[in-house]
Amino acid sequence: MTTLSSLTEQIYCDRDIMACFSGAATIRRMLEVEAALARAQARCGVIPASAARGIDGVCQDFRHADDISAVVDLDAIATASILAGNIAIPFVKQLTAAVHRVDPEAARYVHWGATSQDILDTALVLQLRQAIAQLDQDLSAAQAACATLTQAHRNTVLVGRTWMQHALPTTFGLKTAGWLQALERGQRRLRQDAKHMALLQFGGAAGTLASLGAAAPTVALAFAEELGLAMPDMPWHTHRDRLADMAATLGVLTGTLGKIARDVSLMAQTEIAELAEPGGPGRGGSSTMPHKRNPVASAAILAAATRVPPLVSTMLSAMVQEHERALGGWQAEWDVLPKICALAGGALRHLVGMLNGLEVSPANMARNLDATHGLILAEAYALALGARIGRLEAHELIEQASKEAVRRNCPLKVAVRDTLAAHEATRDLLDEEELDRLSDPVNYLGQAPAMCDEVLAAWKTRGGEAMLGG
């Protein structure tokens, strides 16, 4: 059945990440975990090697089937899970039956010593590792796009805006350098969380591994090795801080993507027109207005940035779990964390495409700089004058001149000249050459170009040069 969400989610969620958390992909990961468990136990002499071969063979055949639904009854698992409380219980029953058909003796050892949460959590860790690898790759691509823009526009003068109003001149390169550094920080946090989270979950029924007796430590270590995961000091069934950290990191990252999309969409407004998202057939059109070119990537990113925080909140709320196994908190995570990953991934994919094709209009940036007829440089005039007569008096004079410029609809330079000329004590404080210098935004960029250079140099030192292709 095609639902509304199945039609719309592809707008916001990354398809590849959605696929790695799909029902079929989840079952494949659970098969991978069960096979690794059997191999580890055989290595440690806990189950017969022949049993491990039988279990592993069935798991591998099922995992690599072109259509897993032909060998595993996914609908039956979903239906049975309503009463069972999770999908692992009916899954293990089906796997045991399948192994029994091949080797009845081996079927005795399916899922030996494990609990449902061991399989589900470890499968989740494997899925997250796959999703994070893609997020990391896309973050590198987004950074490279920002670096290219920063390099190209370190000197492209732009209106700096505070409280949505014209403030002072800046450069577009400095804005994109800010984007670049925020994405870098997000990538560092993601990599750190990924490292902390890449852990085996294996504790048995109550986290003691009593089911394996004295062999438990060696089996657990072999199990972790089979899957390429780190071995935690103890099971983490009800300690969900690592997963909550990952959710929070993805929430912060999606907020960063939303900030960039907000900047782009505001600068793409018709009256501003300093930026435009990439165009193309079928992109950003309207069903009724032929002239429209809507910022569809920004819309998708902003939608994700709106949806993710409440999902992160759910992950944080779900941390409060009871004793050794949770009642409701663990279960609340199952659909939430994959959704956070998919939304973050979708937003990131949109961002990469948008940045790589972003259309920049230096001409419109220059036009907007002059929209206030020089008022954007009032601070520069006040500081130059303040060096001669003191800050407070200079501020009052330039404020008076600014009001006069607005009233007369004339350049601030003219209003300043006339305001100073009206008083004998001030008429010679700023000559025509200095007034000309103060009226040019290029002369009031502060450290913007230098900051761009510093950000780029630091990024390249940390490996960004490779992202640019050398």
Side-chain angles (χ1 to χ4, degrees):
M1 178 180 178
T2 300
T3 64
L4 177 60
S5 63
S6 68
L7 290 174
T8 59
E9 284 298 78
Q10 294 186 61
I11 301 172
Y12 310 108
C13 294
D14 183 84
R15 290 185 183 183
D16 293 338
I17 292 179
M18 288 171 68
C20 88
F21 288 107
S22 70
T26 298
I27 295 299
R28 284 191 167 95
R29 289 299 189 183
M30 292 169 69
L31 288 164
E32 182 180 356
V33 174
E34 291 283 4
L37 174 61
R39 293 195 303 270
Q41 290 174 333
R43 281 171 55 185
C44 299
V46 172
I47 68 173
S50 59
R53 285 193 296 271
I55 296 167
D56 185 57
V58 171
C59 288
Q60 299 305 335
D61 287 346
F62 283 11
R63 277 186 66 208
H64 299 295
D66 291 336
D67 180 8
I68 197 167
S69 63
V71 291
V72 177
D73 191 338
L74 301 181
D75 289 338
I77 289 175
T79 300
S81 69
I82 297 171
L83 295 179
N86 67 61
I87 63 172
I89 294 170
F91 160 79
V92 170
K93 287 182 179 178
Q94 281 198 31
L95 176 60
T96 302
V99 173
H100 188 273
R101 289 193 292 271
V102 175
D103 183 347
E105 182 65 19
R108 295 171 52 194
Y109 298 100
V110 172
H111 198 64
W112 189 262
T115 193
S116 297
Q117 190 168 355
D118 292 334
I119 305 306
L120 289 170
D121 275 352
T122 302
L124 174 64
V125 167
L126 298 177
Q127 290 171 300
L128 287 170
R129 184 166 63 180
Q130 179 182 351
I132 290 164
Q134 182 185 304
L135 289 168
D136 187 83
Q137 184 177 7
D138 289 343
L139 271 167
S140 294
Q143 289 171 48
C146 286
T148 298
L149 289 166
T150 301
Q151 209 159 25
H153 295 285
R154 69 183 292 279
N155 296 312
T156 302
V157 187
L158 172 75
V159 173
R161 298 172 171 97
T162 62
W163 288 45
M164 301 287 285
Q165 306 292 306
H166 284 209
L168 297 175
T170 183
T171 72
F172 182 52
L174 188 61
K175 185 180 289 287
T176 60
W179 299 348
L180 170 57
Q181 286 212 317
L183 291 169
E184 261 200 293
R185 291 191 295 272
Q187 187 176 49
R188 283 198 295 271
R189 285 190 291 264
L190 187 66
R191 287 176 175 178
Q192 182 181 44
D193 288 344
K195 182 179 179 181
H196 291 164
M197 179 219 65
L199 299 171
L200 179 74
Q201 173 74 287
F202 189 45
T208 64
L209 279 179
S211 56
L212 295 177
T218 54
V219 170
L221 185 59
F223 191 10
E225 289 173 354
E226 288 285 342
L227 294 169
L229 297 173
M231 182 66 204
D233 293 332
M234 61 179 290
W236 42 277
H237 290 131
T238 51
H239 292 281
R240 316 302 283 181
D241 49 295
R242 299 179 187 93
L243 293 180
D245 275 343
M246 176 62 65
T249 288
L250 291 173
V252 172
L253 173 61
T254 310
T256 291
L257 307 182
K259 186 274 186 288
I260 297 171
R262 184 72 78 200
D263 282 350
V264 170
S265 57
L266 289 172
M267 294 169 72
Q269 290 183 105
T270 304
E271 297 83 355
I272 307 299
E274 293 169 344
L275 300 177
E277 287 192 7
R283 183 183 178 99
S286 164
S287 63
T288 183
M289 294 174 283
H291 68 283
K292 289 298 292 294
R293 183 173 170 182
N294 294 319
V296 291
S298 293
I301 296 167
L302 289 165
T306 300
R307 292 177 64 186
V308 167
L311 296 174
V312 174
S313 176
T314 299
M315 289 296 297
L316 296 176
S317 298
M319 290 180 67
V320 184
Q321 300 193 3
E322 301 79 15
H323 302 302
E324 282 64 56
R325 298 289 294 283
L327 181 68
W330 173 53
Q331 293 83 353
E333 299 171 356
W334 293 344
D335 295 325
V336 172
L337 191 52
K339 180 63 74 176
I340 292 172
C341 291
L343 285 166
L348 191 50
R349 281 287 177 95
H350 277 294
L351 182 75
V352 172
M354 180 177 74
L355 291 177
N356 280 325
L358 193 65
E359 297 178 16
V360 182
S361 176
N364 286 344
M365 291 176 180
R367 179 202 68 196
N368 293 332
L369 272 170
D370 197 43
T372 60
H373 304 303
L375 288 177
I376 195 171
L377 292 160
E379 183 185 72
Y381 285 101
L383 290 174
L385 194 59
R388 294 163 172 79
I389 61 174
R391 189 196 67 82
L392 186 58
E393 186 178 352
H395 184 91
E396 290 173 352
L397 281 170
I398 299 305
E399 185 177 24
Q400 178 184 339
S402 298
K403 292 177 180 178
E404 187 67 12
V406 172
R407 187 184 69 80
R408 292 164 53 188
N409 193 29
C410 70
L412 178 61
K413 172 187 169 182
V414 172
V416 169
R417 182 199 299 129
D418 293 349
T419 299
L420 296 180
H423 306 281
E424 187 172 346
T426 60
R427 66 179 52 160
D428 296 324
L429 290 178
L430 298 176
D431 60 27
E432 195 66 25
E433 182 178 349
E434 188 158 15
L435 286 171
D436 285 340
R437 182 183 65 80
L438 292 169
S439 69
D440 189 346
V442 172
N443 296 322
Y444 205 65
L445 294 176
Q447 298 300 306
M451 289 178 184
C452 290
D453 295 339
E454 290 172 11
V455 168
L456 285 171
W459 177 73
K460 290 176 181 178
T461 298
R462 290 188 289 266
E465 195 76 52
M467 297 180 198
L468 287 172

